[in-house]
Amino acid sequence: KAVDVCNSVVQSSTDAKNFGAFVSDPSLESDESDTSFAQDVKRAHGQLMESETTTIDDAVGLADIVLMVFVLSAVPPKRVPRFMKQIFDATKCGGKVCFRDYALYDLPMMRFKETHSINSTCSDADGKTPRLYERGDGTLSRFFSLDTIRDIFESSGFIMEELRYATVFNDNRKTGERLKRAFVHAVFRKPQD
């Protein structure tokens, strides 16, 4: 379970401060909620660290490194600006966001049926509607271009350090099929004040 992994990381670290968060669908979809990501970070950080020196104000700018691995693709496009502001607020000045998510023309995108495509009122960097699909379990899957990721992060205040496509081959041993996967890999930095 994710909680067990977080607890074992926290217990095994001596000098580092670690924090893990699982953001559920209801918190991603609620635009009216008073609870921000930074407030959740504050509350959870205090619980995980159990430190007498941790105060409620420590969490804004808490993270030196934020890992966003296959997260943004599940965020509804209209919710992305608010979500990214929360990520920006939770990142320390000079801190980095390590990002990986689905790229345009990744294998799952090519396999989605047209009936699973979701129309959106916003547009990607290329002026087209987001390549957004709904999986069978109701979760979202969005596929990004490099320009779209650059625009999302830079409009949120981050500075690009690295941005590229990463392609890998997955070999299915059972069928002998070689599957080509495509991801967007990036590193962004929050500027120093």
Side-chain angles (χ1 to χ4, degrees):
K1 294 192 300 191
V3 172
D4 296 334
V5 171
C6 288
N7 285 335
S8 82
V9 168
V10 168
Q11 292 169 359
S12 68
S13 300
T14 54
D15 296 331
K17 286 187 176 183
N18 301 288
F19 172 75
F22 173 78
V23 183
S24 66
D25 287 344
S27 64
L28 290 176
E29 293 170 1
S30 174
D31 287 330
E32 305 301 320
S33 173
D34 290 334
T35 303
S36 73
F37 183 76
Q39 290 169 332
D40 293 341
V41 168
K42 290 175 190 176
R43 202 169 21 260
H45 180 261
Q47 292 171 357
L48 286 174
M49 294 296 111
E50 297 177 1
S51 168
E52 295 174 12
T53 60
T54 301
T55 68
I56 204 74
D57 295 323
D58 290 339
V60 173
L62 171 72
D64 289 310
I65 298 173
V66 175
L67 297 177
M68 287 182 61
V69 181
F70 305 107
V71 172
L72 199 58
S73 59
V75 178
K78 70 177 183 167
R79 176 68 174 81
V80 168
R82 182 170 179 261
F83 179 80
M84 290 303 300
K85 181 187 179 320
Q86 293 168 337
I87 297 296
F88 187 84
D89 290 346
T91 306
K92 281 184 182 177
C93 290
K96 295 185 180 186
V97 176
C98 300
F99 177 86
R100 180 167 280 200
D101 221 318
Y102 303 109
L104 289 180
Y105 309 111
D106 185 26
L107 183 64
M109 179 183 172
M110 306 311 290
R111 289 184 172 175
F112 272 116
K113 295 178 179 158
E114 191 65 31
T115 56
H116 290 275
S117 180
I118 298 174
N119 290 325
S120 177
T121 57
C122 63
S123 61
D124 279 345
D126 59 7
K128 296 182 179 179
T129 59
R131 282 54 161 219
L132 184 66
Y133 299 88
E134 184 175 0
R135 293 187 177 114
D137 63 1
T139 59
L140 297 179
S141 189
R142 184 175 176 186
F143 299 87
F144 299 100
S145 69
L146 297 180
D147 289 338
T148 296
I149 293 302
R150 180 184 299 112
D151 286 355
I152 288 171
F153 276 88
E154 288 182 349
S155 68
S156 301
F158 288 99
I159 298 168
M160 181 186 68
E161 291 194 347
E162 185 178 339
L163 179 63
R164 64 183 171 83
Y165 288 113
T167 57
V168 296
F169 288 100
N170 289 344
D171 293 321
N172 184 326
R173 287 181 253 168
K174 185 176 180 181
T175 65
E177 185 179 17
R178 185 164 230 205
L179 310 171
K180 185 175 182 183
R181 301 299 309 270
F183 307 109
V184 175
H185 165 84
V187 178
F188 290 90
R189 179 176 42 84
K190 182 174 180 176
Q192 299 286 350
D193 281 339

PDB file of all heavy atoms in Angstrom, residues 81-113:
ATOM      1  N   PRO A  81      -4.613  24.695 -14.175  1.00  0.00           N
ATOM      2  CA  PRO A  81      -3.989  25.912 -13.638  1.00  0.00           C
ATOM      3  C   PRO A  81      -3.990  25.971 -12.112  1.00  0.00           C
ATOM      4  O   PRO A  81      -2.976  26.316 -11.498  1.00  0.00           O
ATOM      5  CB  PRO A  81      -4.829  27.042 -14.239  1.00  0.00           C
ATOM      6  CG  PRO A  81      -5.380  26.457 -15.499  1.00  0.00           C
ATOM      7  CD  PRO A  81      -5.645  24.998 -15.165  1.00  0.00           C
ATOM      8  N   ARG A  82      -5.094  25.600 -11.496  1.00  0.00           N
ATOM      9  CA  ARG A  82      -5.161  25.621 -10.026  1.00  0.00           C
ATOM     10  C   ARG A  82      -4.252  24.546  -9.430  1.00  0.00           C
ATOM     11  O   ARG A  82      -3.543  24.786  -8.452  1.00  0.00           O
ATOM     12  CB  ARG A  82      -6.599  25.412  -9.565  1.00  0.00           C
ATOM     13  CG  ARG A  82      -6.756  25.457  -8.057  1.00  0.00           C
ATOM     14  CD  ARG A  82      -8.238  25.499  -7.673  1.00  0.00           C
ATOM     15  NE  ARG A  82      -8.376  25.514  -6.246  1.00  0.00           N
ATOM     16  CZ  ARG A  82      -8.650  24.438  -5.512  1.00  0.00           C
ATOM     17  NH1 ARG A  82      -8.831  23.277  -6.096  1.00  0.00           N
ATOM     18  NH2 ARG A  82      -8.770  24.533  -4.213  1.00  0.00           N
ATOM     19  N   PHE A  83      -4.247  23.376 -10.025  1.00  0.00           N
ATOM     20  CA  PHE A  83      -3.383  22.287  -9.564  1.00  0.00           C
ATOM     21  C   PHE A  83      -1.915  22.707  -9.636  1.00  0.00           C
ATOM     22  O   PHE A  83      -1.148  22.495  -8.701  1.00  0.00           O
ATOM     23  CB  PHE A  83      -3.648  21.042 -10.414  1.00  0.00           C
ATOM     24  CG  PHE A  83      -2.797  19.862 -10.060  1.00  0.00           C
ATOM     25  CD1 PHE A  83      -3.119  19.065  -8.979  1.00  0.00           C
ATOM     26  CD2 PHE A  83      -1.669  19.553 -10.803  1.00  0.00           C
ATOM     27  CE1 PHE A  83      -2.334  17.969  -8.645  1.00  0.00           C
ATOM     28  CE2 PHE A  83      -0.880  18.468 -10.481  1.00  0.00           C
ATOM     29  CZ  PHE A  83      -1.213  17.670  -9.390  1.00  0.00           C
ATOM     30  N   MET A  84      -1.525  23.325 -10.747  1.00  0.00           N
ATOM     31  CA  MET A  84      -0.129  23.730 -10.911  1.00  0.00           C
ATOM     32  C   MET A  84       0.244  24.858  -9.947  1.00  0.00           C
ATOM     33  O   MET A  84       1.383  24.919  -9.475  1.00  0.00           O
ATOM     34  CB  MET A  84       0.136  24.150 -12.359  1.00  0.00           C
ATOM     35  CG  MET A  84       0.114  22.997 -13.341  1.00  0.00           C
ATOM     36  SD  MET A  84       1.291  21.677 -12.945  1.00  0.00           S
ATOM     37  CE  MET A  84       2.839  22.583 -13.013  1.00  0.00           C
ATOM     38  N   LYS A  85      -0.685  25.735  -9.635  1.00  0.00           N
ATOM     39  CA  LYS A  85      -0.406  26.778  -8.639  1.00  0.00           C
ATOM     40  C   LYS A  85      -0.110  26.133  -7.286  1.00  0.00           C
ATOM     41  O   LYS A  85       0.784  26.565  -6.562  1.00  0.00           O
ATOM     42  CB  LYS A  85      -1.576  27.756  -8.524  1.00  0.00           C
ATOM     43  CG  LYS A  85      -1.294  28.862  -7.509  1.00  0.00           C
ATOM     44  CD  LYS A  85      -2.481  29.745  -7.248  1.00  0.00           C
ATOM     45  CE  LYS A  85      -2.210  30.836  -6.231  1.00  0.00           C
ATOM     46  NZ  LYS A  85      -1.408  30.497  -5.080  1.00  0.00           N
ATOM     47  N   GLN A  86      -0.859  25.099  -6.970  1.00  0.00           N
ATOM     48  CA  GLN A  86      -0.636  24.401  -5.703  1.00  0.00           C
ATOM     49  C   GLN A  86       0.725  23.707  -5.696  1.00  0.00           C
ATOM     50  O   GLN A  86       1.418  23.705  -4.679  1.00  0.00           O
ATOM     51  CB  GLN A  86      -1.774  23.421  -5.451  1.00  0.00           C
ATOM     52  CG  GLN A  86      -3.095  24.136  -5.207  1.00  0.00           C
ATOM     53  CD  GLN A  86      -4.287  23.207  -5.251  1.00  0.00           C
ATOM     54  OE1 GLN A  86      -4.258  22.149  -5.844  1.00  0.00           O
ATOM     55  NE2 GLN A  86      -5.375  23.631  -4.620  1.00  0.00           N
ATOM     56  N   ILE A  87       1.111  23.138  -6.823  1.00  0.00           N
ATOM     57  CA  ILE A  87       2.446  22.520  -6.918  1.00  0.00           C
ATOM     58  C   ILE A  87       3.514  23.593  -6.763  1.00  0.00           C
ATOM     59  O   ILE A  87       4.497  23.422  -6.036  1.00  0.00           O
ATOM     60  CB  ILE A  87       2.615  21.770  -8.266  1.00  0.00           C
ATOM     61  CG1 ILE A  87       1.626  20.607  -8.375  1.00  0.00           C
ATOM     62  CG2 ILE A  87       4.048  21.302  -8.469  1.00  0.00           C
ATOM     63  CD1 ILE A  87       1.824  19.508  -7.356  1.00  0.00           C
ATOM     64  N   PHE A  88       3.326  24.732  -7.429  1.00  0.00           N
ATOM     65  CA  PHE A  88       4.273  25.846  -7.343  1.00  0.00           C
ATOM     66  C   PHE A  88       4.405  26.313  -5.900  1.00  0.00           C
ATOM     67  O   PHE A  88       5.512  26.526  -5.396  1.00  0.00           O
ATOM     68  CB  PHE A  88       3.816  26.990  -8.261  1.00  0.00           C
ATOM     69  CG  PHE A  88       4.814  28.103  -8.373  1.00  0.00           C
ATOM     70  CD1 PHE A  88       5.858  28.025  -9.278  1.00  0.00           C
ATOM     71  CD2 PHE A  88       4.700  29.239  -7.585  1.00  0.00           C
ATOM     72  CE1 PHE A  88       6.783  29.065  -9.394  1.00  0.00           C
ATOM     73  CE2 PHE A  88       5.614  30.269  -7.689  1.00  0.00           C
ATOM     74  CZ  PHE A  88       6.660  30.185  -8.591  1.00  0.00           C
ATOM     75  N   ASP A  89       3.268  26.488  -5.214  1.00  0.00           N
ATOM     76  CA  ASP A  89       3.288  26.957  -3.827  1.00  0.00           C
ATOM     77  C   ASP A  89       3.970  25.973  -2.888  1.00  0.00           C
ATOM     78  O   ASP A  89       4.605  26.373  -1.916  1.00  0.00           O
ATOM     79  CB  ASP A  89       1.861  27.215  -3.326  1.00  0.00           C
ATOM     80  CG  ASP A  89       1.211  28.424  -3.977  1.00  0.00           C
ATOM     81  OD1 ASP A  89       1.922  29.226  -4.624  1.00  0.00           O
ATOM     82  OD2 ASP A  89      -0.025  28.554  -3.861  1.00  0.00           O
ATOM     83  N   ALA A  90       3.860  24.689  -3.155  1.00  0.00           N
ATOM     84  CA  ALA A  90       4.436  23.668  -2.285  1.00  0.00           C
ATOM     85  C   ALA A  90       5.920  23.442  -2.541  1.00  0.00           C
ATOM     86  O   ALA A  90       6.602  22.795  -1.747  1.00  0.00           O
ATOM     87  CB  ALA A  90       3.676  22.353  -2.450  1.00  0.00           C
ATOM     88  N   THR A  91       6.455  23.998  -3.636  1.00  0.00           N
ATOM     89  CA  THR A  91       7.861  23.809  -4.006  1.00  0.00           C
ATOM     90  C   THR A  91       8.704  24.947  -3.439  1.00  0.00           C
ATOM     91  O   THR A  91       8.323  26.114  -3.524  1.00  0.00           O
ATOM     92  CB  THR A  91       8.009  23.778  -5.552  1.00  0.00           C
ATOM     93  OG1 THR A  91       7.127  22.787  -6.076  1.00  0.00           O
ATOM     94  CG2 THR A  91       9.429  23.445  -5.960  1.00  0.00           C
ATOM     95  N   LYS A  92       9.873  24.601  -2.863  1.00  0.00           N
ATOM     96  CA  LYS A  92      10.796  25.619  -2.367  1.00  0.00           C
ATOM     97  C   LYS A  92      11.346  26.440  -3.516  1.00  0.00           C
ATOM     98  O   LYS A  92      11.473  25.942  -4.636  1.00  0.00           O
ATOM     99  CB  LYS A  92      11.991  24.961  -1.672  1.00  0.00           C
ATOM    100  CG  LYS A  92      11.755  24.486  -0.289  1.00  0.00           C
ATOM    101  CD  LYS A  92      13.050  23.957   0.307  1.00  0.00           C
ATOM    102  CE  LYS A  92      12.817  23.437   1.694  1.00  0.00           C
ATOM    103  NZ  LYS A  92      14.034  22.854   2.279  1.00  0.00           N
ATOM    104  N   CYS A  93      11.734  27.671  -3.231  1.00  0.00           N
ATOM    105  CA  CYS A  93      12.443  28.469  -4.228  1.00  0.00           C
ATOM    106  C   CYS A  93      13.738  27.730  -4.574  1.00  0.00           C
ATOM    107  O   CYS A  93      14.465  27.306  -3.678  1.00  0.00           O
ATOM    108  CB  CYS A  93      12.757  29.863  -3.691  1.00  0.00           C
ATOM    109  SG  CYS A  93      11.277  30.871  -3.506  1.00  0.00           S
ATOM    110  N   GLY A  94      13.980  27.552  -5.846  1.00  0.00           N
ATOM    111  CA  GLY A  94      15.143  26.775  -6.293  1.00  0.00           C
ATOM    112  C   GLY A  94      14.854  25.285  -6.369  1.00  0.00           C
ATOM    113  O   GLY A  94      15.667  24.514  -6.880  1.00  0.00           O
ATOM    114  N   GLY A  95      13.688  24.858  -5.868  1.00  0.00           N
ATOM    115  CA  GLY A  95      13.303  23.455  -5.918  1.00  0.00           C
ATOM    116  C   GLY A  95      12.934  23.026  -7.321  1.00  0.00           C
ATOM    117  O   GLY A  95      12.666  23.857  -8.197  1.00  0.00           O
ATOM    118  N   LYS A  96      12.928  21.733  -7.536  1.00  0.00           N
ATOM    119  CA  LYS A  96      12.690  21.202  -8.877  1.00  0.00           C
ATOM    120  C   LYS A  96      11.477  20.279  -8.911  1.00  0.00           C
ATOM    121  O   LYS A  96      11.157  19.622  -7.929  1.00  0.00           O
ATOM    122  CB  LYS A  96      13.911  20.435  -9.362  1.00  0.00           C
ATOM    123  CG  LYS A  96      15.114  21.333  -9.540  1.00  0.00           C
ATOM    124  CD  LYS A  96      16.280  20.599 -10.132  1.00  0.00           C
ATOM    125  CE  LYS A  96      17.441  21.566 -10.289  1.00  0.00           C
ATOM    126  NZ  LYS A  96      18.555  20.975 -10.989  1.00  0.00           N
ATOM    127  N   VAL A  97      10.851  20.252 -10.085  1.00  0.00           N
ATOM    128  CA  VAL A  97       9.781  19.305 -10.364  1.00  0.00           C
ATOM    129  C   VAL A  97      10.308  18.356 -11.427  1.00  0.00           C
ATOM    130  O   VAL A  97      10.713  18.782 -12.508  1.00  0.00           O
ATOM    131  CB  VAL A  97       8.502  20.003 -10.877  1.00  0.00           C
ATOM    132  CG1 VAL A  97       7.444  18.966 -11.243  1.00  0.00           C
ATOM    133  CG2 VAL A  97       7.966  20.975  -9.839  1.00  0.00           C
ATOM    134  N   CYS A  98      10.343  17.074 -11.097  1.00  0.00           N
ATOM    135  CA  CYS A  98      10.729  16.030 -12.047  1.00  0.00           C
ATOM    136  C   CYS A  98       9.435  15.448 -12.589  1.00  0.00           C
ATOM    137  O   CYS A  98       8.606  14.959 -11.826  1.00  0.00           O
ATOM    138  CB  CYS A  98      11.566  14.963 -11.361  1.00  0.00           C
ATOM    139  SG  CYS A  98      13.088  15.620 -10.652  1.00  0.00           S
ATOM    140  N   PHE A  99       9.290  15.511 -13.897  1.00  0.00           N
ATOM    141  CA  PHE A  99       8.013  15.218 -14.526  1.00  0.00           C
ATOM    142  C   PHE A  99       8.160  14.108 -15.558  1.00  0.00           C
ATOM    143  O   PHE A  99       9.111  14.082 -16.332  1.00  0.00           O
ATOM    144  CB  PHE A  99       7.509  16.492 -15.228  1.00  0.00           C
ATOM    145  CG  PHE A  99       6.233  16.317 -15.990  1.00  0.00           C
ATOM    146  CD1 PHE A  99       5.008  16.445 -15.370  1.00  0.00           C
ATOM    147  CD2 PHE A  99       6.259  16.020 -17.344  1.00  0.00           C
ATOM    148  CE1 PHE A  99       3.823  16.294 -16.082  1.00  0.00           C
ATOM    149  CE2 PHE A  99       5.087  15.861 -18.071  1.00  0.00           C
ATOM    150  CZ  PHE A  99       3.867  16.002 -17.431  1.00  0.00           C
ATOM    151  N   ARG A 100       7.207  13.191 -15.545  1.00  0.00           N
ATOM    152  CA  ARG A 100       7.069  12.212 -16.628  1.00  0.00           C
ATOM    153  C   ARG A 100       5.592  11.894 -16.780  1.00  0.00           C
ATOM    154  O   ARG A 100       4.888  11.667 -15.810  1.00  0.00           O
ATOM    155  CB  ARG A 100       7.836  10.933 -16.356  1.00  0.00           C
ATOM    156  CG  ARG A 100       7.639   9.960 -17.541  1.00  0.00           C
ATOM    157  CD  ARG A 100       8.578   8.812 -17.524  1.00  0.00           C
ATOM    158  NE  ARG A 100       9.857   9.237 -18.050  1.00  0.00           N
ATOM    159  CZ  ARG A 100      10.765   8.398 -18.527  1.00  0.00           C
ATOM    160  NH1 ARG A 100      10.528   7.113 -18.536  1.00  0.00           N
ATOM    161  NH2 ARG A 100      11.908   8.843 -18.982  1.00  0.00           N
ATOM    162  N   ASP A 101       5.142  11.908 -18.039  1.00  0.00           N
ATOM    163  CA  ASP A 101       3.744  11.588 -18.314  1.00  0.00           C
ATOM    164  C   ASP A 101       3.630  11.122 -19.754  1.00  0.00           C
ATOM    165  O   ASP A 101       4.615  11.079 -20.487  1.00  0.00           O
ATOM    166  CB  ASP A 101       2.839  12.795 -18.041  1.00  0.00           C
ATOM    167  CG  ASP A 101       1.540  12.398 -17.349  1.00  0.00           C
ATOM    168  OD1 ASP A 101       0.943  11.361 -17.746  1.00  0.00           O
ATOM    169  OD2 ASP A 101       1.116  13.111 -16.429  1.00  0.00           O
ATOM    170  N   TYR A 102       2.413  10.802 -20.155  1.00  0.00           N
ATOM    171  CA  TYR A 102       2.166  10.240 -21.483  1.00  0.00           C
ATOM    172  C   TYR A 102       2.388  11.278 -22.581  1.00  0.00           C
ATOM    173  O   TYR A 102       1.936  12.407 -22.469  1.00  0.00           O
ATOM    174  CB  TYR A 102       0.735   9.708 -21.578  1.00  0.00           C
ATOM    175  CG  TYR A 102       0.409   8.672 -20.545  1.00  0.00           C
ATOM    176  CD1 TYR A 102      -0.457   8.969 -19.501  1.00  0.00           C
ATOM    177  CD2 TYR A 102       0.963   7.405 -20.610  1.00  0.00           C
ATOM    178  CE1 TYR A 102      -0.770   8.010 -18.528  1.00  0.00           C
ATOM    179  CE2 TYR A 102       0.658   6.443 -19.650  1.00  0.00           C
ATOM    180  CZ  TYR A 102      -0.200   6.764 -18.621  1.00  0.00           C
ATOM    181  OH  TYR A 102      -0.501   5.829 -17.670  1.00  0.00           O
ATOM    182  N   ALA A 103       3.055  10.888 -23.641  1.00  0.00           N
ATOM    183  CA  ALA A 103       3.276  11.759 -24.800  1.00  0.00           C
ATOM    184  C   ALA A 103       2.251  11.458 -25.878  1.00  0.00           C
ATOM    185  O   ALA A 103       1.641  10.380 -25.910  1.00  0.00           O
ATOM    186  CB  ALA A 103       4.687  11.543 -25.348  1.00  0.00           C
ATOM    187  N   LEU A 104       2.091  12.425 -26.766  1.00  0.00           N
ATOM    188  CA  LEU A 104       1.240  12.194 -27.935  1.00  0.00           C
ATOM    189  C   LEU A 104       1.698  10.936 -28.661  1.00  0.00           C
ATOM    190  O   LEU A 104       2.903  10.678 -28.771  1.00  0.00           O
ATOM    191  CB  LEU A 104       1.331  13.381 -28.891  1.00  0.00           C
ATOM    192  CG  LEU A 104       0.671  14.673 -28.449  1.00  0.00           C
ATOM    193  CD1 LEU A 104       0.868  15.742 -29.513  1.00  0.00           C
ATOM    194  CD2 LEU A 104      -0.805  14.477 -28.173  1.00  0.00           C
ATOM    195  N   TYR A 105       0.762  10.199 -29.133  1.00  0.00           N
ATOM    196  CA  TYR A 105       0.979   8.992 -29.930  1.00  0.00           C
ATOM    197  C   TYR A 105       1.622   7.847 -29.153  1.00  0.00           C
ATOM    198  O   TYR A 105       2.152   6.916 -29.739  1.00  0.00           O
ATOM    199  CB  TYR A 105       1.762   9.312 -31.221  1.00  0.00           C
ATOM    200  CG  TYR A 105       1.110  10.451 -31.952  1.00  0.00           C
ATOM    201  CD1 TYR A 105       1.728  11.691 -32.033  1.00  0.00           C
ATOM    202  CD2 TYR A 105      -0.167  10.305 -32.486  1.00  0.00           C
ATOM    203  CE1 TYR A 105       1.099  12.757 -32.665  1.00  0.00           C
ATOM    204  CE2 TYR A 105      -0.799  11.359 -33.127  1.00  0.00           C
ATOM    205  CZ  TYR A 105      -0.159  12.582 -33.203  1.00  0.00           C
ATOM    206  OH  TYR A 105      -0.787  13.628 -33.820  1.00  0.00           O
ATOM    207  N   ASP A 106       1.542   7.909 -27.819  1.00  0.00           N
ATOM    208  CA  ASP A 106       1.925   6.753 -27.012  1.00  0.00           C
ATOM    209  C   ASP A 106       0.950   5.623 -27.334  1.00  0.00           C
ATOM    210  O   ASP A 106      -0.196   5.860 -27.742  1.00  0.00           O
ATOM    211  CB  ASP A 106       1.860   7.124 -25.525  1.00  0.00           C
ATOM    212  CG  ASP A 106       2.367   6.015 -24.610  1.00  0.00           C
ATOM    213  OD1 ASP A 106       3.196   5.195 -25.048  1.00  0.00           O
ATOM    214  OD2 ASP A 106       1.928   5.983 -23.442  1.00  0.00           O
ATOM    215  N   LEU A 107       1.382   4.419 -27.160  1.00  0.00           N
ATOM    216  CA  LEU A 107       0.594   3.256 -27.538  1.00  0.00           C
ATOM    217  C   LEU A 107      -0.845   3.271 -26.998  1.00  0.00           C
ATOM    218  O   LEU A 107      -1.781   3.033 -27.752  1.00  0.00           O
ATOM    219  CB  LEU A 107       1.317   1.971 -27.125  1.00  0.00           C
ATOM    220  CG  LEU A 107       0.642   0.667 -27.532  1.00  0.00           C
ATOM    221  CD1 LEU A 107       0.590   0.541 -29.051  1.00  0.00           C
ATOM    222  CD2 LEU A 107       1.386  -0.504 -26.922  1.00  0.00           C
ATOM    223  N   PRO A 108      -1.067   3.566 -25.716  1.00  0.00           N
ATOM    224  CA  PRO A 108      -2.460   3.587 -25.244  1.00  0.00           C
ATOM    225  C   PRO A 108      -3.328   4.606 -25.982  1.00  0.00           C
ATOM    226  O   PRO A 108      -4.510   4.354 -26.222  1.00  0.00           O
ATOM    227  CB  PRO A 108      -2.340   3.956 -23.763  1.00  0.00           C
ATOM    228  CG  PRO A 108      -0.980   3.510 -23.383  1.00  0.00           C
ATOM    229  CD  PRO A 108      -0.128   3.733 -24.608  1.00  0.00           C
ATOM    230  N   MET A 109      -2.757   5.750 -26.357  1.00  0.00           N
ATOM    231  CA  MET A 109      -3.531   6.739 -27.102  1.00  0.00           C
ATOM    232  C   MET A 109      -3.992   6.160 -28.435  1.00  0.00           C
ATOM    233  O   MET A 109      -5.128   6.366 -28.857  1.00  0.00           O
ATOM    234  CB  MET A 109      -2.700   8.004 -27.358  1.00  0.00           C
ATOM    235  CG  MET A 109      -3.435   9.053 -28.157  1.00  0.00           C
ATOM    236  SD  MET A 109      -2.352  10.463 -28.485  1.00  0.00           S
ATOM    237  CE  MET A 109      -3.375  11.390 -29.600  1.00  0.00           C
ATOM    238  N   MET A 110      -3.119   5.426 -29.079  1.00  0.00           N
ATOM    239  CA  MET A 110      -3.450   4.848 -30.371  1.00  0.00           C
ATOM    240  C   MET A 110      -4.503   3.739 -30.243  1.00  0.00           C
ATOM    241  O   MET A 110      -5.225   3.458 -31.189  1.00  0.00           O
ATOM    242  CB  MET A 110      -2.190   4.313 -31.052  1.00  0.00           C
ATOM    243  CG  MET A 110      -1.075   5.350 -31.177  1.00  0.00           C
ATOM    244  SD  MET A 110      -1.607   6.924 -31.860  1.00  0.00           S
ATOM    245  CE  MET A 110      -1.926   6.457 -33.537  1.00  0.00           C
ATOM    246  N   ARG A 111      -4.575   3.130 -29.059  1.00  0.00           N
ATOM    247  CA  ARG A 111      -5.522   2.028 -28.845  1.00  0.00           C
ATOM    248  C   ARG A 111      -6.898   2.489 -28.382  1.00  0.00           C
ATOM    249  O   ARG A 111      -7.856   1.728 -28.451  1.00  0.00           O
ATOM    250  CB  ARG A 111      -4.948   1.041 -27.837  1.00  0.00           C
ATOM    251  CG  ARG A 111      -3.792   0.241 -28.405  1.00  0.00           C
ATOM    252  CD  ARG A 111      -3.326  -0.779 -27.402  1.00  0.00           C
ATOM    253  NE  ARG A 111      -2.342  -1.671 -27.994  1.00  0.00           N
ATOM    254  CZ  ARG A 111      -1.699  -2.606 -27.327  1.00  0.00           C
ATOM    255  NH1 ARG A 111      -1.927  -2.770 -26.031  1.00  0.00           N
ATOM    256  NH2 ARG A 111      -0.821  -3.378 -27.935  1.00  0.00           N
ATOM    257  N   PHE A 112      -6.993   3.741 -27.861  1.00  0.00           N
ATOM    258  CA  PHE A 112      -8.295   4.231 -27.406  1.00  0.00           C
ATOM    259  C   PHE A 112      -9.241   4.345 -28.588  1.00  0.00           C
ATOM    260  O   PHE A 112      -8.866   4.803 -29.663  1.00  0.00           O
ATOM    261  CB  PHE A 112      -8.177   5.606 -26.743  1.00  0.00           C
ATOM    262  CG  PHE A 112      -7.873   5.557 -25.272  1.00  0.00           C
ATOM    263  CD1 PHE A 112      -6.683   6.065 -24.790  1.00  0.00           C
ATOM    264  CD2 PHE A 112      -8.784   5.026 -24.374  1.00  0.00           C
ATOM    265  CE1 PHE A 112      -6.395   6.033 -23.437  1.00  0.00           C
ATOM    266  CE2 PHE A 112      -8.508   4.985 -23.017  1.00  0.00           C
ATOM    267  CZ  PHE A 112      -7.301   5.497 -22.552  1.00  0.00           C
ATOM    268  N   LYS A 113     -10.467   3.943 -28.348  1.00  0.00           N
ATOM    269  CA  LYS A 113     -11.503   4.096 -29.366  1.00  0.00           C
ATOM    270  C   LYS A 113     -12.012   5.531 -29.327  1.00  0.00           C
ATOM    271  O   LYS A 113     -11.984   6.194 -28.286  1.00  0.00           O
ATOM    272  CB  LYS A 113     -12.650   3.118 -29.108  1.00  0.00           C
ATOM    273  CG  LYS A 113     -12.217   1.679 -29.247  1.00  0.00           C
ATOM    274  CD  LYS A 113     -13.347   0.724 -28.938  1.00  0.00           C
ATOM    275  CE  LYS A 113     -12.827  -0.685 -29.124  1.00  0.00           C
ATOM    276  NZ  LYS A 113     -13.589  -1.667 -28.418  1.00  0.00           N
TER     277      LYS A 113
END
